[in-house]
Amino acid sequence: MKNILRILRSEKGWSQAELADRLDVSRQSVNAIETGKYDPSLPLAFAIARLFGRSIEEIFDDEAETAEAAE
């Protein structure tokens, strides 16, 4: 799933470790989400959205999955 988490994190000046601490997850989890290798659970997606003051839809884009499902 595509996302803008890396951009949002960079705008705050946070490292992956700092963001991980704020979300109570591992730095590896943050990296995996940023690179699209891992889709966060719904509670984690809500926590990310709250932390950045954005909606889940503003941060995460499932357009690729939607297009694949339509095929």
Side-chain angles (χ1 to χ4, degrees):
M1 178 181 308
K2 292 183 180 182
N3 65 74
I4 61 166
L5 186 56
R6 182 171 301 202
I7 295 166
L8 295 174
R9 177 179 59 77
S10 295
E11 287 175 353
K12 295 281 190 183
W14 297 338
S15 68
Q16 287 183 342
E18 289 171 318
L19 178 56
D21 286 344
R22 292 172 188 272
L23 295 171
D24 197 28
V25 299
S26 70
R27 185 204 57 79
Q28 290 85 352
S29 293
V30 170
N31 179 269
I33 294 168
E34 286 185 352
T35 58
K37 294 178 182 170
Y38 171 74
D39 293 339
S41 66
L42 193 53
L44 180 54
F46 272 109
I48 292 168
R50 277 194 301 274
L51 182 62
F52 290 104
R54 305 270 185 120
S55 69
I56 290 174
E57 293 85 358
E58 288 178 285
I59 300 172
F60 298 97
D61 179 11
D62 67 347
E63 192 173 299
E65 284 84 8
T66 304
E68 288 173 7
E71 292 177 355

